[in-house]
């Protein structure tokens, strides 16, 4: 048939042309190509006969689009038909313009369309309004020229003309706003306020009383068979008027006051038994929420939506849930910007408070079989949560979490975490909710949820920790091993607080609700309102180890859980040191040792390292492959020093409490520093124009000035160090990112950040430095914010010839202790200098704060180079207890280069003891402006004294002038 039509077109069979185009229309609806008939449509449009014109216009509107170049051939025919005396021919031309007009056609034909706006025939007037809407959409700059003509049509008596005029006015307002905001509108600057003050909107605002009167007449109109739909008088016109009023009343108090009465009348008098009435009410609610209406009217609108939720039609319930969510979000935004009443921006007579009365209906929608209804109800419940109803709504969310599809559980868990974090009434309820959520959806929840649970448990009191670890142990024991998130959090908690499992625990929940799972069970068993005490029995150490071992031995146990189980066993070995029998302790050590030959490098590494830690705690020396002690401190001895024991116990002690708010604040500060201004370097401190700029991501590595580091102007950002050693290499490029993990003073745990590797000075001859103080420390991986992220593997460098293995726990060997032997010195550039006299030392006081005193012993290692100095920091503990976690940071001016070595120990014993060794740290400095400027140090020390974290900033400038 298509081939026959092609043949007829080629042979110019005019008497079959309209029939062939009709066949092409049917073929087009079936999806077959019909592009070869486009010119035939143009020929039919130019025909003088109405039947052929009708087929031609229909074919043109269906077979052509406004992108077709052939459409410009129809412009002249359209102009002729617009001037035709036959109203049906003119109507066809207007319909074609309303569907296919291009910008060029709109400019050419707009005058002819404008003439039909004032035509005496309503049939042509309504079609002209729709055609004019298309023309103005294509040519927004013509809007102001037709405003007056549009205003005059609003007094038309024909409902068909009125509905098209209202549609045209709506289109004009939308077009005018887009033109002003997106393109600037010529004389306008693209501002929102410019739209509200535009001449078009100003002219239409004068018609608000007329529109209100028209809507009121429709409401009071009696039965009219021409306009009645389901007992409603012309619902289509009512909906269009309400839409226009919504655009005119936005941000206009006067116009909103004029339409408030008629909106209340529509909301109260419209019949809801038929769909036409529901459509009008829905549009009325949209208008009430958009205009500057009073609170009583908004409450009425929310109540209408609440009635929609009881409708059996899912479509009506869906739009009601969507509208309610938008309503509550807009109300929250208005409360934040305008300071609404109540704690959450809610008064007794606002839309938000009215919505709370429909909370039960919204919650019931979570049980709907339609997934789209359940999802919309879920979104709305997130907006409904506040301090008063957080417990009830969170319980509903957890109930829905059991039934929802698995691919939705991860998002719901994240939402529940936000709700719990923001509105939690107490710490116990928060921890209990998160544990219950992990029990339900631990497999699907994100690692951030697991990390947050760990943080909340670590921040809680000792009593709450005991409750959490007992509950987690019970949940792990009852789980089938599928909830990985629960296993991660539970095994971590057992390792950290396993000693609390050896004691019985009991508590009495509040009678008003409280914890989610136990209280629900106990309330069912005991209907009385008296609180029931929940108790956990004490466990034997062997039972705890057996439960964790059972989890680890499952064939479905993930590798990540096995890694944490090894850490858990190692910490339990220290926790149960004084409470478990020898068999249990031996079993723990065997479980750790079991994976020394594992095919997983991470498991193998953990097993070997944890085994060494356990042996160090027991005082046993661990031999390496060559028969030497791997700690390198007690050669030829079967035991390790007290320092190694202390360091091993400190490594297995409880984790420090993570301050999550500090993490978030530091992260936000870095992001702000990264985004603000033209400088993309987060280390830019905003100093004055005369100051040397901070290094950028592509620049060099000049050390920051003291003022730049410690608050001389702008953001305080310190130099990066390795175990307290400042990065020396000035040629090293530092990547400027907002999440720089070597930002020491912006450390996420409010403790020394992950150190960057310290550069090692290369000997002049390029060989091994026989005078060096031992091997350089291996780079330490950066601390990650995510506690459950995969752990990086630390690889120790192979020892060079003539060196011994480095003890990671013991104090340095005598060659590393400056107070017992000569300090390490670089190879001199001149052989004559070797063995030269060593100048006498000078002692300079650094600072003294809360029992820790620091003094520097200053010497000149090179007699031929007075700029080089060797500073040995000596740490003095004047308290009656050791100081743990010592960390010293040093910053120097730009004219000074510096290299620091790690301290001999991070634990400072009480000074003056018979067997104590003084803790020292060696610092090499070079003052390039010796004689002009003196050496000056900015110090920041952090340590833990009797369980309290202490930080102190000080300036040390007492070095002899002209010598240092």
């Amino acid at each position: 048939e298509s081939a026959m039509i092609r043949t007829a077109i080629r042979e110019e069979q005019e008497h079959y042309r309209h029939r062939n185009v009709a066949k092409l229309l049917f073929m087009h609806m079936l999806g077959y190509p019909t592009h070869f008939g486009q010119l035939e449509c143009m020929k039919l449009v130019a025909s003088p006969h109405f039947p052929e014109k009708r087929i031609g216009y229909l074919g043109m509107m269906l077979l052509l689009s406004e992108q077709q170049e052939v459409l410009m051939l129809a412009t002249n025919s359209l102009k002729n038909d617009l001037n035709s005396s036959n109203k049906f021919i003119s109507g066809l031309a207007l319909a074609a313009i309303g569907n296919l007009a291009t910008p060029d056609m709109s400019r050419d034909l707009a005058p002819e369309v404008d003439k039909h706006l004032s035509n005496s025939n309503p049939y042509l007037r309504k079609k002209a309004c729709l055609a004019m809407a298309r023309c103005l959409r294509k040519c927004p700059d013509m809007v102001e020229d037709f405003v007056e003509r549009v205003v005059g049509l609003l007094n038309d008596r024909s409902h068909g003309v009125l509905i098209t005029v209202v549609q045209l006015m709506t289109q004009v307002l939308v077009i005018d706003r887009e033109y002003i905001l997106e393109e600037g509108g010529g004389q306008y600057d693209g501002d929102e306020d410019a739209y509200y003050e535009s001449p078009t909107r100003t002219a239409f605002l004068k018609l608000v009383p007329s529109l209100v009167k028209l809507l009121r007449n429709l409401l009071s109109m009696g039965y009219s068979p021409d306009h009645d739909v389901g007992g409603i008088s012309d619902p289509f016109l009512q909906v269009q008027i309400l839409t226009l009023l919504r655009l005119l009343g936005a941000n206009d108090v006067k116009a909103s006051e004029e339409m408030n009465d008629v909106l209340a009348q529509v909301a109260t008098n419209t019949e809801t038994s038929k769909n036409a009435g529901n459509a009008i009410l829905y549009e009325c609610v949209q208008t009430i929420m958009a205009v500057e209406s009073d609170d009583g009217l908004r409450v009425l609108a929310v109540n209408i939506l609440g009635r929609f939720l009881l409708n059996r039609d899912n479509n009506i319930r869906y739009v009601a849930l969507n509208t309610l969510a938008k309503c509550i979000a807009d109300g929250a935004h208005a409360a934040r910007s305008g300071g609404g009443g109540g704690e959450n921006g809610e008064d007794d007579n606002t839309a938000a408070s009215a919505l709370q009365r429909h909370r039960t209906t919204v919650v019931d929608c979570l049980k709907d079989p339609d997934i789209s209804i359940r999802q919309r109800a879920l979104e709305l419940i997130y907006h409904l949560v506040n301090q008063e109803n957080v417990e009830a709504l969170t319980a509903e969310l957890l109930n829905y979490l059991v039934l929802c599809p698995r691919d939705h559980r991860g998002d719901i868990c994240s939402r529940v975490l936000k709700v719990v974090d923001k509105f939690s009434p107490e710490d116990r309820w928060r921890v209990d909710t998160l544990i219950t959520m992990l029990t339900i959806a631990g497999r699907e929840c994100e690692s951030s949820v697991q990390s947050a649970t760990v943080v909340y448990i670590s921040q809680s009191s000792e009593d709450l920790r005991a409750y959490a670890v007992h509950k987690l142990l019970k949940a792990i024991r009852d789980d089938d091993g599928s909830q990985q998130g629960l296993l991660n959090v539970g095994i971590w908690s057992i390792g950290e607080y396993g000693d609390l499992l050896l004691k019985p625990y009991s508590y009495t929940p509040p009678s008003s609700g409280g914890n989610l799972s136990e209280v629900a069970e106990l309330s069912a068993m005991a209907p009385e309102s008296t609180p029931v005490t929940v108790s956990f029995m004490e466990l034997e150490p062997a039972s705890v180890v057996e439960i964790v071992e059972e989890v680890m031995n499952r064939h479905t146990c993930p590798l990540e859980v096995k890694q944490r189980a090894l850490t858990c066993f190692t910490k339990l070995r220290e926790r149960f040191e004084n409470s478990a029998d020898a068999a249990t302790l031996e079993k723990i050590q065997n479980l750790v040792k079991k994976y020394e030959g594992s095919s997983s490098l991470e498991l193998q590494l953990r097993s070997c390292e944890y085994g060494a830690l356990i042996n160090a705690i027991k005082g046993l020396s661990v031999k390496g492959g060559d028969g030497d002690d791997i700690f390198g401190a007690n050669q030829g001895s079967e035991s390790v020093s007290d320092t190694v024991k202390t360091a091993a116990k400190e490594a297995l002690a409880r984790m420090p409490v993570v301050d999550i708010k500090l993490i978030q604040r530091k992260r936000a500060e870095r992001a702000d520093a990264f985004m603000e201004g033209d400088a993309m370097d987060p280390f830019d401190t905003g100093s004055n124009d005369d100051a040397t700029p901070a290094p950028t991501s592509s620049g060099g590595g000049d050390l920051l000035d003291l003022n730049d580091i410690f608050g001389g102007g702008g953001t305080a950002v310190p130099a990066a160090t390795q175990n307290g050693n400042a990065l020396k290499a000035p040629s090293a490029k530092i990547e400027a990112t907002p999440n720089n993990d070597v930002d020491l003073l912006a450390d996420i745990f409010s403790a020394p950040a992950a150190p960057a590797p310290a550069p090692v000075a290369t000997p002049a001859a390029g060989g091994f430095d026989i005078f060096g103080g031992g091997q350089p420390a291996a780079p330490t991986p950066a601390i990650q914010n995510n506690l459950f992220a995969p752990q990086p593997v630390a690889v120790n460098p192979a020892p060079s010839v003539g060196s011994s293995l480095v003890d990671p726990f013991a104090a340095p060997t005598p060659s590393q202790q400056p107070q017992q032997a000569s300090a390490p010195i670089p190879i001199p550039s001149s052989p004559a200098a070797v063995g030269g006299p060593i100048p006498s030392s000078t002692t300079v006081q650094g600072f003294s704060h809360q029992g820790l005193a620091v003094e520097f012993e200053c010497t000149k290692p090179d007699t031929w180079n007075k700029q080089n100095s060797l500073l040995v920091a000596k740490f003095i503990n004047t308290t009656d207890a050791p100081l743990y976690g010592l960390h010293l940071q040093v910053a120097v001016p730009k004219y000074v280069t510096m290299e620091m070595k790690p301290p001999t120990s991070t634990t400072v014993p009480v000074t003056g003891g018979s067997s104590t060794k003084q803790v020292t740290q060696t610092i090499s400095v070079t003052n390039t402006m010796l004689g002009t400027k003196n050496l000056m140090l900015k110090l920041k020390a952090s340590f833990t004294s009797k369980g309290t974290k202490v930080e102190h900033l000080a300036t040390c400038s007492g070095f002899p002038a002209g010598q240092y």
Side-chain angles (χ1 to χ4, degrees), residues 836-955:
I838 300 177
S840 60
S841 61
T842 301
T843 301
V844 177
Q845 295 298 325
F847 68 86
S848 179
H849 182 71
Q850 292 195 12
L852 177 66
V854 178
E855 60 182 27
F856 295 96
E857 183 180 290
C858 311
T859 58
K860 292 289 184 179
D862 303 328
T863 57
W864 65 90
N865 190 348
K866 299 299 183 181
Q867 293 183 346
N868 295 339
S869 303
L870 193 67
L871 312 181
V872 178
K874 297 182 178 180
F875 301 94
I876 302 172
N877 180 6
T878 60
T879 65
D880 57 355
L883 303 178
Y884 298 101
L886 173 67
H887 187 73
L888 177 66
Q889 302 173 49
V890 181
V892 294
K894 296 179 180 179
Y895 57 85
V896 177
T897 58
M898 175 180 63
E899 180 180 354
M900 296 180 67
K901 292 184 178 180
T904 57
S905 175
T906 59
T907 301
V908 184
V910 178
T911 303
S914 58
S915 60
T916 58
K917 298 180 181 179
Q918 188 171 33
V919 179
T920 62
Q921 186 169 7
T922 304
I923 307 172
S924 299
V925 295
T926 301
N927 186 353
T928 59
M929 301 184 68
L930 183 64
T932 305
K933 292 187 177 181
N934 295 332
L935 177 62
M936 182 178 180
L937 304 180
K938 200 78 169 180
L939 308 174
K940 179 180 179 181
S942 59
F943 56 92
T944 301
S945 175
K946 300 180 181 179
T948 303
K949 181 72 175 181
V950 180
E951 290 188 353
H952 181 62
L953 285 173
T955 301

Side-chain angles (χ1 to χ4, degrees), residues 666 670 709-710 716-719 742-747 750-751 753 889 940 951 953:
K666 294 295 185 182
R670 293 181 200 160
I709 299 173
F710 292 109
V717 181
V742 298
D743 182 1
L744 294 178
L745 296 186
D747 171 31
S750 187
Q889 302 173 49
K940 179 180 179 181
E951 290 188 353
L953 285 173

Side-chain angles (χ1 to χ4, degrees), residues 45 47 53 57 76-86 89-91 93 116:
V45 167
S47 172
K53 276 185 178 292
Y57 275 114
N76 192 52
S77 298
L78 287 171
K79 184 176 292 187
N80 293 334
D81 290 342
L82 286 174
N83 295 323
S84 173
S85 58
N86 188 333
I89 293 178
S90 299
H116 287 289

